[in-house]
Amino acid sequence: MPPRFTPARVRYDRRYRTLDKYRFILGFLALPLLFYAIFVISPFFQAIWYSFTDWSGGATANFIGFGNYEKMWNDERFWDSTTTSLLLLFVAPLITLVLGIFFAFMITSGGRHRKGQAISGVAGSSVYKVVYFFPQVLSIAIIAVVWQRVFSTRSGLLNGGLEAVGLGDFEQAWLGGEYSLALIATLTVLCWSFVGFYVVLFSAAMGAIPKDIYEAALLDGAGRGKTFFKVTLPLIWDTVRTGWIYMGIQALDSFAIVLVMVPKHALKVTPVFLYERFREGQFGYATSIGVVLLVLSVVFSLLIMRIGNRDRIEY
């Protein structure tokens, strides 16, 4: 006699299959989640705890409450470095993303109309992708050393080039002189080193847009600029918002570039200030600065998610 499939029996079978599926998934995720909790989540809580202590690297760490944060609040060096970091946080993503979107649009849709192709990139677009992405294969320390030579006052390529073309009056001490010049040099290197990544990222997002949408826009009489702002940008907005957050965190963590390239007296950012406190043995104070950097990163991410929130466009 065949089994009777009553509604209650069907609901029971579904519930059992669902439970069995989650057990199967949990079995695979348990070990990775354990490692993630130990090696990623746990250090965050340890850093927060040490930020409330006077730990100096020894076996003991005395709880001092908000003493480190009060010291930080009254430390002018911290505020000077944080002001620079905040400038990089908001300016560097803006410049990098604008350049990345522009280059990506030219590579994917900026070429002339070819026979049989209503939309195409500029000639040699595949080569441009490799050229733009090249800085990503270099160590950030190597990039900082190379650009330090470029901005060098006496033998640098930039000042030497200005003198060679008769513009010697514009030579500057780019790294060891004024604060504004060191900030411009840091922004230049930061944007140059990361723009290639976003060119590839945005090119992939634009390449996923169906060509039919572009062709329909062209048939309606839309020009290249209108097509970009009315079609391309709305369809890749989620990618742009993600890139904005990622680049903001990279700008906030401009440790290697500033430490290697810029002299100490010319420019300070918060990660370098934190590193110097570690070298002095002020581990509790340094971890409190790290907690502030964590809070800044989270606030910035939430702010961009809030500002950039818009209805998702499906295609």
Side-chain angles (χ1 to χ4, degrees):
M1 182 176 180
R4 297 178 61 187
F5 294 96
T6 62
R9 177 64 182 273
V10 171
R11 288 195 298 269
Y12 175 79
D13 290 342
R14 288 178 178 174
R15 190 179 303 113
Y16 181 80
R17 286 196 298 269
T18 302
L19 182 61
D20 190 55
K21 179 182 69 174
Y22 286 126
R23 285 176 179 173
F24 179 78
I25 295 173
L26 184 61
F28 276 97
L29 292 180
L31 187 60
L33 287 176
L34 179 62
F35 276 96
Y36 186 82
I38 293 175
F39 295 105
V40 178
I41 302 300
S42 175
F44 280 99
F45 288 102
Q46 292 180 28
I48 293 173
W49 159 249
Y50 282 123
S51 70
F52 293 104
T53 67
D54 62 352
W55 185 45
S56 59
T60 60
N62 300 315
F63 183 79
I64 59 173
F66 289 93
N68 288 322
Y69 294 96
E70 292 177 2
K71 179 180 178 180
M72 190 190 313
W73 182 264
N74 297 315
D75 194 338
E76 293 184 2
R77 297 174 301 171
F78 167 76
W79 287 110
D80 291 340
S81 63
T82 303
T83 300
T84 304
S85 291
L86 290 176
L87 284 173
L88 295 176
L89 175 64
F90 288 101
V91 178
L94 182 62
I95 297 174
T96 306
L97 295 186
V98 168
L99 291 176
I101 293 173
F102 172 75
F103 291 142
F105 183 73
M106 296 303 293
I107 287 173
T108 57
S109 310
R112 296 181 177 180
H113 303 321
R114 302 174 186 174
K115 186 176 181 180
Q117 291 183 334
I119 299 297
S120 60
V122 296
S125 57
S126 57
V127 177
Y128 289 134
K129 285 184 182 180
V130 176
V131 173
Y132 291 143
F133 192 76
F134 177 72
Q136 291 295 306
V137 304
L138 298 176
S139 167
I140 195 67
I142 294 176
I143 291 174
V145 170
V146 171
W147 278 94
Q148 184 185 45
R149 299 301 304 168
V150 172
F151 287 116
S152 177
T153 304
R154 295 183 178 180
S155 59
L157 180 63
L158 181 56
N159 282 344
L162 291 173
E163 185 177 0
V165 297
L167 298 176
D169 294 338
F170 292 95
E171 294 183 24
Q172 301 287 342
W174 298 99
L175 298 178
E178 298 179 4
Y179 168 84
S180 58
L181 294 177
L183 181 62
I184 291 173
T186 303
L187 272 172
T188 301
V189 179
L190 192 63
C191 297
W192 178 86
S193 58
F194 289 110
V195 69
F197 171 80
Y198 294 100
V199 170
V200 175
L201 178 66
F202 296 143
S203 296
M206 294 178 187
I209 300 175
K211 301 297 183 183
D212 296 344
I213 297 179
Y214 284 119
E215 293 174 359
L218 291 175
L219 290 175
D220 288 341
R224 187 164 295 172
K226 192 173 183 178
T227 301
F228 171 77
F229 287 105
K230 296 296 185 180
V231 177
T232 304
L233 189 58
L235 292 178
I236 67 167
W237 182 252
D238 287 344
T239 306
V240 173
R241 185 176 59 175
T242 303
W244 197 346
I245 294 173
Y246 184 48
M247 183 60 203
I249 296 174
Q250 289 172 323
L252 195 61
D253 184 27
S254 54
F255 170 75
I257 292 176
V258 176
L259 183 68
V260 175
M261 187 181 73
V262 184
K264 292 182 179 180
H265 66 275
L267 187 71
K268 283 284 178 64
V269 291
T270 308
V272 173
F273 181 71
L274 182 153
Y275 168 72
E276 291 175 347
R277 303 293 77 74
F278 265 112
R279 291 190 61 183
E280 295 171 357
Q282 302 180 41
F283 295 154
Y285 185 37
T287 52
S288 66
I289 299 171
V291 172
V292 171
L293 281 174
L294 172 63
V295 172
L296 286 177
S297 301
V298 173
V299 170
F300 174 77
S301 301
L302 293 176
L303 183 64
I304 297 303
M305 292 292 291
R306 178 68 176 176
I307 295 176
N309 188 29
R310 61 194 304 175
D311 294 335
R312 183 180 178 86
I313 301 177
E314 300 289 346
Y315 55 89

